[in-house]
Structure formats: C-alpha cells, structure tokens
C-alpha cells in the first residue's frame, strides 16, 4: 500500500508553520491534504501540530474511514474537512485558532477594511456561530465555503481551504494581519475617546483696581502690610 511519504512530510512542514506563527497551540487545530481523488491524509485526534510526527497522520477515504488498520482516530473535525473537499479544486484544509482573529470576532461582527489588499481579499468573510468546541453541523460551514476560502468559526477559530497548503495558509495569515490592524486602530480610538479634552481656562482679571493713593488704595496697602 502506498505510504504517501512526501505528502506526510508536507503536512509536517505546514503544521510547524502554523505553530511557528501562533496560529495553533497545543492539541488545538487540525489539517488535511487530498492525496488521491477519494483519499485524504488528516492529522490524528488531539495531535500536537507543533510537534507532529508522521505516524500521527491518518489516511482516510471519502467517508472518513481509515484506509489501513491503525489505533489512531482521525481529528474530531473530520466531517468538516470532508465537507470542504466537496468544493471543486480544494486539495488542502486548515483548521486553526489564530489569536487575533479569534479575539476580534469574539468582540466584533464586521472586519473594517484599512488596506487595498484587505479590500481585495477579505471584504466579505463569513462568520458562523458555534455552540461548542467541535463543529457538529457542517452544512453552514460548507455553504460559507462557497462564498469564501476562509470562514470564521466564532470563538472557535477558522477553516481555510485552497488548492494547496500555501494558498490555504496565506488566507489565515492575511486575515490575522487584518484583525491585528483592526484591534490596534479600535484600541487607539477607545483610548483617545476616554481622555477628556483639556479646555483652557480663560484668564479672568479678579484683582480690584484702585485710584492711585486713594483712601481705598491706602487702606488696601495697610491691610497687606499688616
């Protein structure tokens, strides 16, 4: 049986890239690669992508069943991966938890566009509400992937797809950068709005004027001296 050694090494490379860029941490996150028309390599359940080994990658068919005998279980997000592969031209799938993207969409609904590149690639990012740590209803995600190659899973990260890993990874990187910019600018606006503007106090002449050496003037001088 074919071992797909090169493809496994490709998965190891991109898993480490995700970890290096802080797009995943610990056992959170999973990735997969199409290796044949109806065969896919997927990371195992609870695999630590930053320190992934070749034997933590499972070969499955289009129904999600392991092709060869193994004691490992595929990722718990396997159904979402398989649904993504139903989209034409998709050969790589990334499910990651990029920090700024997760934080931004936990607080805000819409990404503001501050660059020409973001306007070109990130103008209409779908956001799917989640009710738990595993995507149990893949239909909304599958529908959203018809509109965009990257979809936000609210409070659960993202799913990004592409014709290869480089393409899928680039979507994750671009959205994370845009979310960083949004958070920085929104924080700047909040900080400045919290600072009350300093209003200069108009100078007021409160010193009473007297005629020189008048009785009132002399009386005032005496009171100051005493």
């Amino acid at each position: 049986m074919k071992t797909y050694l090169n493809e496994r090494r490709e998965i190891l490379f991109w898993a480490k890239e995700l970890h290096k860029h802080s797009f995943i941490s610990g056992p959170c996150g999973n990735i997969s690669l199409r290796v044949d028309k109806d065969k896919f390599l997927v990371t195992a359940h609870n695999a630590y992508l930053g320190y992934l080994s070749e034997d933590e990658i499972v070969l499955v068919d289009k129904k999600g069943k392991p092709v060869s005998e193994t004691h490992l279980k595929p990722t718990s997000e396997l159904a979402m991966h398989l649904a993504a592969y139903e989209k034409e031209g998709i050969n790589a799938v990334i499910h990651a938890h990029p920090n700024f993207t997760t934080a931004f969409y936990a607080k805000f609904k819409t990404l503001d566009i501050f660059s020409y590149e973001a306007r070109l690639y990130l103008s209409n990012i779908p956001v799917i509400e989640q009710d738990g740590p595993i995507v149990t209803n893949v239909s909304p995600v599958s529908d959203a992937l018809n509109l965009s190659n990257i979809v936000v899973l609210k409070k659960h990260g993202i799913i990004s797809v592409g014709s290869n890993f480089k393409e899928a990874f680039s979507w994750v990187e671009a959205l994370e950068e845009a979310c960083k910019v949004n958070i920085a600018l929104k924080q700047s606006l909040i900080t400045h709005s919290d600072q009350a503007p300093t209003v200069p106090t108009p100078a007021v002449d409160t010193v009473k004027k007297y005629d020189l050496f008048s009785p009132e003037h002399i009386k005032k001088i005496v009171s100051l001296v005493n």
Side-chain angles (χ1 to χ4, degrees):
M1 180 180 293
K2 191 173 180 180
T3 59
Y4 299 102
L5 182 59
N6 289 337
E7 289 83 353
R8 290 175 186 271
R9 288 173 177 171
E10 185 178 4
I11 287 177
L12 294 184
F13 173 83
W14 289 105
K16 286 179 171 57
E17 285 295 299
L18 288 166
H19 183 256
K20 183 171 72 175
H21 287 76
S22 298
F23 295 159
I24 51 96
S25 60
C28 300
N30 35 79
I31 61 179
S32 64
L33 178 68
R34 185 196 298 274
V35 294
D36 206 337
K37 181 180 179 181
D38 294 323
K39 291 189 178 70
F40 310 90
L41 285 172
V42 300
T43 49
H45 177 62
N46 275 341
Y48 191 167
L49 297 196
Y51 300 92
L52 192 69
S53 61
E54 290 177 11
D55 59 1
E56 292 178 296
I57 302 170
V58 184
L59 181 65
V60 301
D61 61 21
K62 65 179 181 179
K63 294 183 179 180
K65 296 180 64 175
V67 173
S68 58
E69 187 175 343
T70 176
H71 68 285
L72 295 174
K73 291 182 179 181
T75 170
S76 57
E77 301 286 14
L78 179 58
M80 181 172 65
H81 283 254
L82 294 176
Y85 285 116
E86 293 177 2
K87 183 179 178 181
E88 185 177 354
I90 299 306
N91 297 311
V93 177
I94 293 173
H95 169 47
H97 299 248
N99 296 329
F100 287 92
T101 301
T102 303
F104 177 83
Y105 282 101
K107 181 69 175 178
F108 304 104
K109 292 183 178 181
T110 305
L111 186 74
D112 290 327
I113 302 299
F114 295 107
S115 71
Y116 295 117
E117 292 78 11
R119 184 177 302 279
L120 182 61
Y121 296 109
L122 303 171
S123 291
N124 297 293
I125 302 297
V127 181
I128 307 296
E129 294 283 346
Q130 295 296 291
D131 56 7
I134 298 173
V135 177
T136 55
N137 182 10
V138 300
S139 293
V141 179
S142 182
D143 292 342
L145 286 172
N146 289 322
L147 305 174
S148 170
N149 275 37
I150 186 166
V151 174
V152 173
L153 309 171
K154 193 167 184 180
K155 298 183 181 180
H156 186 51
I158 57 86
I159 178 172
S160 183
V161 302
S163 59
N164 52 51
F165 273 129
K166 182 186 288 188
E167 183 182 349
F169 185 90
S170 70
W171 286 107
V172 183
E173 195 171 35
L175 181 57
E176 180 76 343
E177 182 68 20
C179 287
K180 284 182 184 179
V181 172
N182 267 254
I183 291 172
L185 290 175
K186 288 179 184 292
Q187 182 60 43
S188 176
L189 292 172
I190 292 171
T191 301
H192 283 85
S193 67
D194 286 345
Q195 296 176 349
T198 301
V199 180
T201 303
V204 178
D205 188 356
T206 58
V207 180
K208 185 176 181 180
K209 291 181 172 59
Y210 301 91
D211 292 334
L212 186 62
F213 298 130
S214 65
E216 292 86 357
H217 189 202
I218 294 172
K219 184 175 180 183
K220 182 65 176 178
I221 293 172
V222 171
S223 68
L224 291 172
V225 172
N226 293 335

